[in-house]
Each structure stands twice: as structure tokens, then as C-alpha cells.
């Protein structure tokens, strides 16, 4: 992933088929526009932002990886590591509450970043809260402190602080990454084979978000270490690793502060935007009805916003409309930290921690994303098959639906196997929960492999689509709106909490798989309608 992907292309004519009059390094002339397009190398500051992301994800997954076991199982559980012993439903409830809060807080953080503090100061403040939250969790998970009843209060305080911190990180880091590439302009380049190509800023942006998401999943590998540490040493040691990781991220971010391109706050657009939206809603949900000249002619009053804000709101609303199907995607993804972990606890693990297998998801992303970026997309583009964001999202959604369908099949297999069938680990034959049903945990692996592949296609494309469609004054806010889709998924997961018990889990998995398939179909139709029209217009021009 460190090398510039020279073969990342759009469907164009082959090398040498046209003369390209512009000199190397110059902006392309009209005759150059049919030349092959490639991504540029990423600036060092983009790698700096991605490095901070690695540290943040190392900390996050060292916290969230053991979460389900920490809450669900008791310290005296004979088969699985635990601490609070609140049971599966309450554990899933707390996980989903945490996810909901952490996906809602980016909205407030986005408003603060765009309107007041700027993205750099917002991220720095958020990372400081992150350190405080993980420190509280570490201290209250020390066995002697845990025995004195500090575990649950400490967890709740940590959840609040970390979720607030995640708000600033999620709203500000992706647009900050994209801003590091803002100086890249279209230019002619001669490749090592002598081919004349165009360095394309749009393709560079796609490459940047692929790298960003790849780095996120590099950080997610801390979950592997955390699962063994919680089992062999204790939860406190896993949370100490999380604390050290986030402190390293703050240090990197602070050292590189002078080199970063960080857009200053544009001034808060929230109040005039709300007022303009209210006018549009009152007049048939038409944004043009809120234009200053229209309001003056119709209502004989002047407004505080401009035509430019109306255009930006129209662009923002168009972007937000495409986010709705992501709610189901994140609902499915949320199963990896809750119900599939509990599903593994009902299977024969042969010494493998029951929360170990979700790491297959991030390992799949780490391996597959560079291969897809460097080989699959260029291969498709050379054959005239374009890969705009929404089409990649649709493919990811279909893979996600398949993953949940497979999870349903595994749950059905567990229910058809002894010794406890539809009530694993609670019948007399399980000997007080020490004997699970006779299904090997290895058969659960394809769930995480399919979910990892779905992320490879859908998640970076979601970040890219969000940034490119958001107006300049609303980059962090629209990124936060995109994050709200994950909150929506967690809210639905919260509503489904009563089904998070045997023998209802089979129906739950089957239901969300069907919903994901319908969402994939919707995105497919939208992508061919809107992105296909855009490409036809580009061809005409």
C-alpha cells in the first residue's frame, strides 16, 4: 500500500493511441483528456493522519474486543473469561448503547470542528478525552478494584468519555486526511514504460481513503492480542495496552502538527441552515423556495443566508439521501462485537478464545484491500467496467447479506446439534455450562471473511462519497451524518435485543440478512441511475 498504484485507472484508450501535447508536469490540454488516469503518491501528512488512525484503532479494539466477555461472563465462569457477569442480553445492550452514543456524538463534534475549533484542535481535544476514558477503564478493571464493585461504574464513565472522544475523531480525521491531498492538481506524467498518463486528484482521493481504511484495520489487529491477554493475564492488561496505544497516537499527532494542512473553521452555518431548511419544509420541501430573492418576493423579508448556502444544502441533502441503506449495513456489522461472539461461546472452541474469530474480519481487510486497490479495480477499469463509489457500496452490501445468511445457517446447525440443541450450555448434559454444542468454532470463520470483503468494497467508498458530495463548510458535519447511519444500525440492534437469546437467534440472523439484500438492491438501482448518468455526461463533454 505504500507505493503509488500506477495502474489505478478509468476506462480510456490505450497508451500511444493519441498524442498528448502537454509537457510532463504541466496541466493536461484538451487532447490529453483521453489518456489513462492514475492516482498520485500520497503526501507525508496523509500518512501521518493514517498513523494516528492506526493508534486510535489499536486502542479502540483493545477496549471493544473484550467488551462482550467483560460484561456478559462472571469472573468464575468455568469456560470463558469474564468480570461483571451481567449476561448476554445486558452485555449486548451496553455494547449497542455505547455504539449509539459514539455514532451520535460526531454530529456535535462536526459542528464544533466546522464552525468553531477547526479539525486539528477538535481531534486533539478528542484524543485527550480518549486517554482519560481508557485510563478510567484500566484502573477500575484491576482485580482488587474490581472486587470492590468499581467495575460497572468505571465502565459507564469510560463509555461516556470514549464515546465523546470518538465523536471528534470520526467527524474530523477522514476530512482532515482528504485535505492533505488538496494540493494535488491534474498533470501529465511519463511512467517508467514511457506511457503518458494524467495524475488524477479524484483517483488520488480514492487511493487515500483506501489507505485510511487499510490503516484502520491494521490497528484492529490489537483485538487478537487483547483476546489472549484477557484470557491469560486479565482484562486490566488488555486495557493497559489500549491506554499506551492512544497515548502514542496523541504524541504522533502533536509532533506532526506544524506540517498538517488543517482548514480553519468556516464559521457556524448551523442556525442559518436550520432556518433555511424550515422555510423549504414549509413550502413543499423545495430548497429553491428558501433562496433569498424568492423569500424577499414572497414574504417581503430579508434572510441571513445566501444563495451559496442553499446550493451547499442541496448538495448535502443529496449526499445524505444515499446514506440510508448504510443503516442496515452497520446493523449487520454490529453483530461482530455482540451476537457472533456469543454464538462462538456455544460452540466447541478447543482452547481458542470465543472472541478471537472476529479478527478474521480485519485480517481479511488488511490482505484484500491492497489486492483490490492495486489489481482488481485497474483490471476492471481497463476493460471498461467503471468502479464509482456507489457501485462498490452495492457489491459490499451483497457480500454482507451473504455473511449474515451464513451466520443464520451456523445458528441453525448449533440448534440441531447436541447436547443441548436449542438451549446451548443450559441443559443438564452441559454440566453447568462447561460443555457447548457439538459444532466446531472453525465453521464460523466464513462469516468474518465475508464481512471483511464487504468492508473492503463498501466502507472506503462510503468515506469517499461522503467527502466528495459534502460542501466545503460542512465536511465534518456531513461526515458525522454518515456516522449517524451506524447509530441507526445500533438503534435497530438495540430494538432487537429481546431476540438476542436462544432459540430466537436464527430468526434474527435471517431477518437482517434479508434486509441487507434489499438494501443492496436499492443501492444498485441508485448507482446505475445517478453514477451512470454522470459518466454519460462526462463522455459527452
Amino acid at each position: 500500500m505504500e507505493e503509488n498504484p500506477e495502474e489505478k485507472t478509468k476506462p480510456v484508450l490505450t497508451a500511444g493511441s493519441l498524442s498528448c501535447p502537454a509537457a510532463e508536469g504541466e496541466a493536461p490540454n484538451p487532447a490529453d483528456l483521453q489518456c489513462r488516469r492514475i492516482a498520485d503518491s500520497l503526501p507525508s501528512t496523509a500518512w501521518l493522519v493514517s498513523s494516528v488512525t492506526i493508534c486510535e484503532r489499536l486502542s479502540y479494539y483493545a477496549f471493544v474486543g473484550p467488551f462482550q466477555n467483560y460484561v456478559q461472563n462472571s469472573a468464575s465462569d468455568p469456560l470463558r473469561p469474564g468480570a461483571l457477569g451481567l449476561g448476554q442480553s445486558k452485555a449486548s445492550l451496553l455494547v449497542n448503547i455505547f455504539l449509539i452514543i459514539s455514532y451520535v456524538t460526531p454530529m456535535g463534534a462536526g459542528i464544533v470542528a466546522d464552525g468553531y475549533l477547526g479539525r486539528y484542535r477538535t481531534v486533539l481535544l478528542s484524543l485527550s478525552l480518549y486517554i482519560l476514558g481508557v485510563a478510567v477503564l484500566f484502573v477500575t478493571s484491576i482485580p482488587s478494584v474490581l472486587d470492590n464493585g468499581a467495575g460497572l461504574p468505571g465502565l459507564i464513565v469510560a463509555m461516556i468519555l470514549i464515546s465523546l472522544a470518538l465523536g471528534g475523531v470520526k467527524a474530523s480525521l477522514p476530512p482532515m486526511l482528504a485535505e492533505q491531498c488538496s494540493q494535488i492538481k491534474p498533470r501529465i506524467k511519463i511512467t517508467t514504460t514511457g506511457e503518458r498518463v494524467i495524475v488524477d486528484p479524484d483517483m488520488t482521493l480514492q487511493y487515500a481513503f483506501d489507505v485510511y481504511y487499510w490503516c484502520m484495520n491494521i490497528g484492529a489487529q490489537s483485538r487478537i492480542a487483547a483476546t489472549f491477554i484477557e484470557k491469560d493475564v486479565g482484562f486490566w492488561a488488555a486495557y493497559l495496552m489500549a491506554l499506551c496505544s492512544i497515548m502514542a497516537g496523541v504524541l504522533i499527532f502533536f509532533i506532526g502538527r506544524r506540517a498538517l494542512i488543517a482548514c480553519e473553521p468556516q464559521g457556524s452555518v448551523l442556525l442559518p441552515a436550520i432556518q433555511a431548511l424550515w422555510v423549504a419544509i414549509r413550502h413543499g420541501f423545495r430548497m429553491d423556495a428558501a433562496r433569498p430573492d424568492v423569500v424577499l418576493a414572497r414574504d417581503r423579508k430579508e434572510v441571513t443566508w445566501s444563495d451559496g448556502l442553499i446550493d451547499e444544502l442541496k448538495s448535502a441533502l443529496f449526499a445524505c439521501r444515499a446514506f440510508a441503506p448504510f443503516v442496515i449495513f452497520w446493523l449487520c456489522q454490529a453483530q461482530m462485537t455482540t451476537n457472533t461472539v456469543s454464538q462462538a461461546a456455544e460452540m466447541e472452541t478447543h482452547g481458542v478464545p470465543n472472541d478471537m474469530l472476529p479478527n478474521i474480519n480485519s485480517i481479511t481487510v488488511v490482505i484484500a484491500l491492497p489486492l483490490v486497490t492495486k489489481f482488481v479495480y485497474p483490471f476492471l477499469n481497463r476493460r471498461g467496467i467503471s468502479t464509482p463509489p456507489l457501485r462498490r457500496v452495492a457489491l459490499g452490501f451483497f457480500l454482507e447479506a451473504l455473511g449474515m445468511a451464513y451466520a443464520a445457517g451456523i445458528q441453525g446447525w448449533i440448534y440441531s446439534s447436541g447436547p443441548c440443541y436449542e438451549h446451548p450450555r443450559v441443559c443438564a448434559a452441559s454440566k453447568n455450562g462447561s460443555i457447548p454444542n457439538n459444532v466446531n468454532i472453525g465453521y464460523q470463520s466464513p462469516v468474518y471473511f465475508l464481512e471483511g470483503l464487504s468492508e473492503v468494497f463498501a466502507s472506503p467508498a462510503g468515506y469517499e462519497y461522503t467527502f466528495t458530495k459534502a460542501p466545503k463548510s460542512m465536511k465534518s458535519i456531513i461526515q458525522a451524518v454518515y456516522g449517524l447511519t451506524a447509530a441507526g444500525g445500533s438503534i435497530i440492534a438495540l430494538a432487537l435485543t429481546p431476540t438476542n437469546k436462544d432459540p430466537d437467534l436464527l430468526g434474527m440472523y435471517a431477518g437482517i440478512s434479508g434486509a441487507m439484500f434489499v438494501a443492496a438492491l436499492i443501492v444498485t438501482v441508485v448507482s446505475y441511475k445517478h453514477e451512470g448518468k454522470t459518466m454519460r455526461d462526462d463522455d459527452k463533454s
Side-chain angles (χ1 to χ4, degrees):
M1 291 296 290
E2 294 182 359
E3 298 298 324
N4 177 33
E6 295 246 334
E7 292 190 312
K8 199 164 189 161
T9 66
K10 294 180 180 179
V12 293
L13 301 181
T14 57
S17 62
L18 291 172
S19 62
C20 299
E24 184 175 13
E26 293 182 353
N29 291 328
D32 296 311
L33 297 181
Q34 293 299 319
C35 291
R36 189 166 68 90
R37 296 169 185 261
I38 66 169
D40 200 0
S41 299
L42 296 184
S44 59
T45 50
W47 290 105
L48 186 148
V49 173
S50 297
S51 298
V52 175
T53 300
I54 291 177
C55 294
E56 186 274 324
R57 291 290 92 179
L58 282 170
S59 181
Y60 176 80
Y61 281 100
F63 159 58
V64 83
F67 199 142
Q68 186 81 1
N69 278 346
Y70 185 76
V71 179
Q72 176 177 340
N73 305 324
S74 68
S76 59
D77 190 301
L79 200 59
R80 313 294 177 209
L84 303 184
L86 299 182
Q88 180 177 349
S89 290
K90 290 182 179 178
S92 297
L93 178 67
L94 282 176
V95 170
N96 284 308
I97 288 174
F98 169 73
L99 292 175
I100 290 169
I101 296 173
S102 65
Y103 285 119
V104 169
T105 51
M107 178 57 68
I111 293 169
V112 170
D114 283 340
Y116 301 102
L117 294 182
R119 278 183 266 284
Y120 173 78
R121 287 185 288 272
T122 300
V123 172
L124 190 60
L125 175 62
S126 299
L127 292 177
S128 301
L129 285 175
Y130 216 130
I131 290 176
L132 184 58
V134 177
V136 169
L137 184 65
F138 161 63
V139 171
T140 57
S141 64
I142 295 173
S144 58
V145 181
L146 197 63
D147 290 341
N148 289 324
L152 184 57
L155 176 64
I156 292 172
V157 171
M159 286 170 58
I160 294 171
L161 291 172
I162 295 173
S163 61
L164 289 173
L166 285 170
V169 170
K170 290 175 181 291
S172 297
L173 270 188
M176 179 178 282
L177 170 76
E179 285 165 356
Q180 308 315 305
C181 304
S182 61
Q183 306 300 319
I184 296 172
K185 306 296 181 186
R187 69 180 190 276
I188 292 295
K189 180 177 180 178
I190 308 298
T191 68
T192 55
T193 61
E195 181 187 6
R196 300 174 66 86
V197 295
I198 297 175
V199 173
D200 188 339
D202 290 340
M203 301 195 74
T204 305
L205 189 63
Q206 178 183 335
Y207 176 47
F209 280 119
D210 284 347
V211 168
Y212 176 77
Y213 202 74
W214 183 74
C215 288
M216 288 178 65
N217 283 273
I218 287 289
Q221 301 315 302
S222 66
R223 184 169 187 160
I224 298 175
T227 54
F228 282 104
I229 290 172
E230 68 168 294
K231 176 175 175 289
D232 298 330
V233 182
F235 289 97
W236 66 270
Y239 298 146
L240 177 60
M241 179 176 70
L243 181 60
C244 294
S245 298
I246 196 62
M247 291 176 69
V250 173
L251 182 62
I252 292 171
F253 195 64
F254 184 75
I255 290 174
R257 66 192 184 282
R258 298 188 185 280
L260 287 168
I261 299 173
C263 290
E264 291 300 313
Q266 303 291 309
S268 178
V269 297
L270 183 61
L271 181 58
I274 292 175
Q275 292 172 335
L277 285 171
W278 177 243
V279 171
I281 291 171
R282 286 169 46 212
H283 293 86
F285 293 88
R286 294 181 301 109
M287 285 308 307
D288 287 335
R291 292 191 179 277
D293 56 339
V294 175
V295 175
L296 182 62
R298 183 186 60 236
D299 302 331
R300 300 183 183 278
K301 56 188 279 189
E302 295 185 354
V303 295
T304 58
W305 58 86
S306 64
D307 277 337
L309 178 63
I310 299 302
D311 292 334
E312 290 189 343
L313 283 172
K314 290 175 71 173
S315 175
L317 289 171
F318 179 81
C320 294
R321 187 171 57 183
F323 295 161
F326 272 94
V327 171
I328 308 301
F329 176 74
W330 295 119
L331 167 63
C332 295
Q333 288 278 311
Q335 305 309 309
M336 285 191 297
T337 54
T338 55
N339 289 315
T340 58
V341 173
S342 299
Q343 183 185 73
E346 299 174 346
M347 306 169 73
E348 295 176 340
T349 61
H350 302 285
V352 176
N354 68 300
D355 52 357
M356 177 71 175
L357 260 62
N359 295 292
I360 294 173
N361 172 273
S362 55
I363 293 172
T364 299
V365 175
V366 169
I367 296 173
L369 186 53
L371 297 177
V372 168
T373 298
K374 191 159 183 70
F375 299 110
V376 176
Y377 291 150
F379 175 82
L380 294 174
N381 291 335
R382 282 196 299 269
R383 281 151 183 79
I385 303 174
S386 60
T387 57
L390 289 183
R391 293 189 185 178
R392 284 179 274 142
V393 168
L395 176 57
F397 282 8
F398 280 117
L399 289 167
E400 185 67 48
L402 186 59
M404 287 296 99
Y406 185 89
I410 290 294
Q411 195 66 53
W413 188 4
I414 291 171
Y415 287 160
S416 64
S417 303
C420 296
Y421 299 97
E422 292 188 341
H423 300 281
R425 297 185 61 201
V426 296
C427 68
S430 72
K431 297 182 179 179
N432 294 321
S434 62
I435 300 178
N437 281 13
N438 298 323
V439 180
N440 192 295
I441 192 175
Y443 290 110
Q444 199 189 37
S445 301
V447 174
Y448 302 109
F449 175 73
L450 288 167
E451 289 206 321
L453 284 182
S454 76
E455 287 187 60
V456 165
F457 294 104
S459 293
Y463 283 115
E464 179 188 345
Y465 186 84
T466 300
F467 184 83
T468 55
K469 296 300 181 184
K472 184 177 180 180
S473 64
M474 301 181 187
K475 295 293 186 185
S476 293
I477 293 175
I478 300 304
Q479 183 66 49
V481 173
Y482 174 57
L484 283 177
T485 62
S490 293
I491 289 172
I492 296 176
L494 197 61
L496 292 175
T497 298
T499 68
N500 294 347
K501 65 182 190 306
D502 299 311
D504 299 333
L505 288 163
L506 174 58
M508 187 275 296
Y509 284 123
I512 63 176
S513 173
M516 187 74 264
F517 183 77
V518 172
L521 289 177
I522 292 172
V523 174
T524 300
V525 172
V526 172
S527 70
Y528 276 92
K529 180 180 178 181
H530 292 288
E531 291 178 331
K533 180 180 183 299
T534 300
M535 288 184 290
R536 289 192 296 271
D537 292 342
D538 290 342
D539 291 339
K540 290 177 182 178
S541 62

